Amino acid sequence: MNYYLQLAIVLFVYMNIGFILSIYIKRNDIADVAWGLGFVLMTWSAMFISEAFEFQNYLIATLVSIWGLRLSWHIYSRNHNKPEDFRYQQWRTDWGEYFYLRSWLQVYMLQGFFLFLIALPVSMFHNSTVMPESCFMYTGVAIWAFGFYFEVVGDYQLSEFKKDPSSKGKIIRSGLWKYSRHPNYFGEVVLWWGFIFIA
């Protein structure tokens, strides 16, 4: 069976499990938690399906796992013991009798499609001949670390800002947020460039 088709099937099953779980717990925002974990699943599945077990394969899989697990835990912690995200709540009203069908298509299948596309550099890497260690690999790791720092610290600073009652109604302009409107998203974009350099 085609390598990419196998990955697509793995992801399709995973997203459907997420959808079924969302019905059981009555929370569609579980899709946000599933996002990071989906990349972890994809990178290790790609590695094992292609039987690629070189150092660089383990390196990329480990870096994706650190990022994905951290992101999912951050979102889970942020949403835990709180009502479902207001966007998903609004869709329950807007979509009416088609709520489950549109949830499956527009939340889980659409997210799975984008997850597959974004993970392509990693999937392609695992399915290609691994080049010897080079300056590109070390540069990629450095870029990844820089981006990961921005994402983690940006998320932490925003979380602390929101905890402060005096921040209500204000926009964060301190820490990394002084230099970027969204340092956490900036960091995420940068770390994915790191994966491309490693690849």
Side-chain angles (χ1 to χ4, degrees):
M1 188 185 297
N2 179 273
Y3 168 74
Y4 294 104
L5 179 58
Q6 290 181 73
L7 287 177
I9 291 170
V10 168
L11 188 56
F12 180 77
V13 170
Y14 172 72
M15 297 312 293
N16 275 284
I17 291 171
F19 173 65
I20 293 167
L21 181 60
S22 76
I23 294 172
Y24 178 73
I25 65 174
K26 297 181 173 62
R27 291 187 69 122
N28 252 346
D29 57 3
I30 192 72
D32 297 339
V33 177
W35 177 253
L37 295 177
F39 285 93
V40 177
L41 173 67
M42 285 292 283
T43 190
W44 288 100
S45 296
M47 196 171 109
F48 280 96
I49 290 170
S50 61
E51 299 182 351
F53 303 118
E54 301 294 333
F55 170 74
Q56 291 92 326
N57 297 106
Y58 282 105
L59 174 65
I60 281 207
T62 300
L63 295 180
V64 170
S65 298
I66 292 170
W67 166 77
L69 291 170
R70 200 287 315 179
L71 180 63
S72 290
W73 176 252
H74 170 72
I75 294 171
Y76 171 78
S77 301
R78 185 184 67 192
N79 295 346
H80 186 58
N81 290 330
K82 292 180 181 176
E84 182 183 38
D85 186 288
F86 72 93
R87 296 166 296 176
Y88 295 106
Q89 286 184 14
Q90 186 62 46
W91 287 341
R92 288 181 184 276
T93 303
D94 294 346
W95 293 347
E97 62 180 302
Y98 298 106
F99 173 74
Y100 292 112
L101 176 61
R102 292 188 67 172
S103 290
W104 183 73
L105 289 171
Q106 290 180 235
V107 178
Y108 293 91
M109 293 301 102
L110 184 61
Q111 180 166 289
F113 173 74
F114 284 118
L115 198 159
F116 187 87
L117 284 182
I118 294 168
L120 267 179
V122 172
S123 303
M124 292 171 72
F125 176 80
H126 286 309
N127 196 40
S128 63
T129 302
V130 174
M131 300 297 288
E133 294 180 27
S134 69
C135 62
F136 283 104
M137 188 187 82
Y138 298 111
T139 301
V141 172
I143 291 170
W144 180 90
F146 177 79
F148 187 70
Y149 169 83
F150 254 77
E151 183 172 356
V152 172
V153 174
D155 279 338
Y156 173 76
Q157 289 173 343
L158 180 61
S159 176
E160 291 300 301
F161 178 80
K162 286 183 173 181
K163 287 178 185 175
D164 185 351
S166 66
S167 299
K168 190 170 179 63
K170 296 179 182 177
I171 296 175
I172 181 171
R173 298 182 187 277
S174 57
L176 296 179
W177 297 81
K178 181 166 51 176
Y179 305 105
S180 170
R181 181 65 267 142
H182 293 290
N184 46 356
Y185 297 152
F186 167 75
E188 185 157 326
V189 170
V190 169
L191 69 83
W192 276 95
W193 275 100
F195 289 131
I196 292 170
F197 266 78
I198 295 170

